[in-house]
Amino acid sequence: MHIEPAILVMQHSMKPHMQITVSLLDFLVRIIPTFYPPLKSHVKAGINSALSDISSKKVLPSLSALFDSARLDRDLRNQLRETFPQFCIAVATTPTEVSGPPPPRLVKPQSPKIDTPLDLLLPPTAPLELTPSAILNTTSSDQLKSPTSDVGAAFSEDEIEIFKTDSADSKLNSGFKPISMPKNIRRLSSHTEKSRESLDDYMSRVTGEFKVVLEQLKDESDDEKKCELTVKLLQCIDDADGEFDDPLAPAVASALCTMFSSTFTSVSLPEEINDEALEDSIVSPLFVIFRNICSLPLDEPSREDLTYFLYEMHAFEPRVGYLLLYFLKVSKSVDEKMITYKKMTEFAADEKDLKTFILDDLKLCQEDDMRMFVYLITDVYTNFLTATVPNPELMLLVCSTIDSTQLLALMCQVLQGHLLMFKKDSVLAVLNHSLEWETIEQYFLWQLLSSHDLPVENILPVLSKLESPKHAEALTCLLSLLTKKSPNNDLMRLVLCRQPSKLDSFTASLLKNWAQEDEDKTAECLDHFLSHNISTPKKVTKARSRKEMPSTDNILSHLDLMRQTCKNISFLTNERIQKVLQQVQTACSEQQKQTFSELFALIIDDEDEDEVPSKRKLRQTAARRANNASPKPQIDRRRRQSDSSSGSDDEEILRAQPAKKRKKGAIIELDDSD
């Protein structure tokens, strides 16, 4: 069908690329009034018809899972509910008449409306009736038909076969099956049911003054009085004098988290970030606990008991972790270095370290509120440097969450000196880990890396692991980075050690760029490595040098690829390059001479250098020899002719010279006899 790919892109981009889903849904809402205002109702009817086809064809289990997702922005969710209300609330199915006694039914009573993803799945007026017959009838062939099924959307043949197979299996297993819900909604609902069922059990394990306070807190609805009772509960923990431990502490923490369950799902970063809005977001009873613990001196004995109570709350409800980080960032005057969070994680030192704690809490924050996640990044990296740098998993979480605006904000924080995400001694571990990431994630990583002032020598070792075109993202960013640097022996060594390939023009392009920017320095570096290989035996080189050195074959192969791929090869006629190529040609084997014969053909012969030619003449001669299709036979014939003519001239000279000597000798003999 034509509309199937679009809705599947929205669904499958929810977790890895949330911005794609948000953009498409926002476009869907905005196009109705803006595409053609006079026919706004017709545009809306067309979109509703398409969504009806999607729902009837079961392309997605439920459109409400997409439109009511907790990961969407609150304003966007409200717009979707106003525009497509029929797809945001599940419609109750009417059970068909079945012969025999009616089967038992599970009926959910009416309850007051709560603005949560779980309650949005329920109808507003009638109770939800779940019976085996009703569930089977919802997938019958009659209900799969749509008024618009004659034109437009239709399953492919492969999908029809799969659908028939699934239908046959469902007929065999005709027992009651629960309706599947989205992952995030299922997680919230299961946690809520668990909390409601276990609240009485937790309360039964609490005794004394703790139980009295919890009973009052359970029945209280006013937030101010809840805050007062929460402070009273903390005072009870303080009065326990070190006796607040198992099993009392887990029971009190679990009961309190159950009562505060609505707070964990309602706290979010304000739309307009200012001091007043941030303070208003941390006024609930949960944050009263954080404020009282952070206000105590570090050497206060009761602080350890309260921190342990906080750890037990985190063990029951993991959202306590990132909400504590959020509170510590908003109220910096209380605990600027986030020591309270570090102390809390020390109680779980045997199970997981601080690095794992932070990663788990931020993952949960990223799922619940991406804006809050980005808001916390700077302070988390600053206050937990040893646990975050290096942390490839955390870096992946950052790069997979941020958008272009947030990337710019993070880079500005780095340039201002407020954020450090890489160190020169550990950056290589993050780069190696990133080679399997998505393209946009790798580009965001390299952009963040470029804002740090790190030596390129610490980054370049990753080049040995890069393959073209498998790692095109990293090669592209490295090429852009190296073109801004001047060549030196360290950079040239790592670049020339790369295995040459006709499908990989990385090294040839970089050498060409360096030759244009600084020809003499590039020639000097190449001369250094080629001369080193000629003068030093291979065994001695391996024994003395710990660093990997480029072989002669590697260097010649890169130069030959440069000759083949680059149009202007004037760099190869450089005097220093010509000299070292002559030395290599003399020292190399016959096989190497044959392999690189076209490269050696650019060498200017000594016999043509009776007069020292200019650089321009050298380049013209080399270019003429490289471009001519058959220069070698002509050169050979000329050499044979010149050799024969020069041989005859030499014989005449040799004949003439002895004659002169004999003449001198004869005169000397006459003088002696006299």
Side-chain angles (χ1 to χ4, degrees), residues 180-242:
S180 61
M181 292 184 292
K183 183 178 179 181
N184 56 343
I185 299 180
R186 183 164 59 250
R187 173 173 52 81
L188 291 173
S189 61
S190 62
H191 177 72
T192 304
E193 292 173 1
K194 174 184 175 182
S195 302
R196 291 175 181 172
E197 294 173 358
S198 57
L199 177 58
D200 295 335
D201 297 335
Y202 296 133
M203 294 288 291
S204 63
R205 283 183 261 167
V206 181
T207 57
E209 187 67 20
F210 290 100
K211 187 168 185 178
V212 175
V213 177
L214 287 176
E215 289 289 351
Q216 296 175 356
L217 193 59
K218 177 183 177 182
D219 299 332
E220 187 58 57
S221 58
D222 184 67
D223 288 339
E224 292 185 3
K225 293 183 178 180
K226 280 185 177 182
C227 293
E228 296 176 0
L229 291 172
T230 303
V231 175
K232 188 176 180 180
L233 180 65
L234 297 178
Q235 186 63 41
C236 293
I237 298 175
D238 189 13
D239 297 339
D241 295 332

Side-chain angles (χ1 to χ4, degrees), residues 169-323:
D169 295 339
S170 63
K171 292 180 180 178
L172 295 176
N173 303 322
S174 58
F176 175 78
K177 296 181 180 179
I179 297 177
S180 61
M181 292 184 292
K183 183 178 179 181
N184 56 343
I185 299 180
R186 183 164 59 250
R187 173 173 52 81
L188 291 173
S189 61
S190 62
H191 177 72
T192 304
E193 292 173 1
K194 174 184 175 182
S195 302
R196 291 175 181 172
E197 294 173 358
S198 57
L199 177 58
D200 295 335
D201 297 335
Y202 296 133
M203 294 288 291
S204 63
R205 283 183 261 167
V206 181
T207 57
E209 187 67 20
F210 290 100
K211 187 168 185 178
V212 175
V213 177
L214 287 176
E215 289 289 351
Q216 296 175 356
L217 193 59
K218 177 183 177 182
D219 299 332
E220 187 58 57
S221 58
D222 184 67
D223 288 339
E224 292 185 3
K225 293 183 178 180
K226 280 185 177 182
C227 293
E228 296 176 0
L229 291 172
T230 303
V231 175
K232 188 176 180 180
L233 180 65
L234 297 178
Q235 186 63 41
C236 293
I237 298 175
D238 189 13
D239 297 339
D241 295 332
E243 297 180 359
F244 186 71
D245 51 9
D246 292 335
L248 182 59
V252 175
S254 302
L256 193 63
C257 288
T258 304
M259 296 177 190
F260 293 164
S261 59
S262 60
T263 303
F264 296 121
T265 56
S266 61
V267 176
S268 61
L269 186 69
E271 296 295 332
E272 295 183 4
I273 301 177
N274 52 58
D275 294 340
E276 183 179 356
L278 292 174
E279 287 294 333
D280 292 340
S281 65
I282 55 173
V283 296
S284 62
L286 174 65
F287 296 103
V288 172
I289 301 176
F290 299 159
R291 182 173 284 105
N292 278 268
I293 297 176
C294 296
S295 61
L296 294 174
L298 293 176
D299 55 353
E300 181 72 23
S302 60
R303 177 164 181 153
E304 184 176 357
D305 292 338
L306 293 175
T307 306
Y308 174 68
F309 174 64
L310 196 61
Y311 164 72
E312 291 293 346
M313 291 181 63
H314 182 276
F316 183 83
E317 176 52 75
R319 289 179 177 81
V320 171
Y322 76 78
L323 290 177

Side-chain angles (χ1 to χ4, degrees), residues 3-22 24-25 59-60 66:
I3 59 178
E4 179 183 5
I7 199 70
L8 291 178
V9 167
M10 297 183 197
Q11 176 70 12
H12 295 307
S13 299
M14 286 288 290
K15 187 172 182 180
H17 307 294
M18 187 63 188
Q19 291 299 323
I20 296 178
T21 304
V22 172
L24 293 176
L25 289 175
V59 177
L60 296 180
L66 180 62

Side-chain angles (χ1 to χ4, degrees), residues 489 492 496 520-534 555 559 571 574-577 579-581 583-584:
N489 289 341
M492 188 69 74
L496 294 178
D520 294 336
K521 186 64 178 178
T522 306
E524 179 184 349
C525 294
L526 290 171
D527 184 12
H528 169 76
F529 290 108
L530 286 173
S531 301
H532 179 271
N533 291 341
I534 294 173
I555 301 174
L559 291 176
F571 170 70
N574 181 277
E575 295 180 5
R576 195 157 190 167
I577 295 296
K579 182 178 178 181
V580 74
L581 283 179
Q583 297 175 2
V584 171

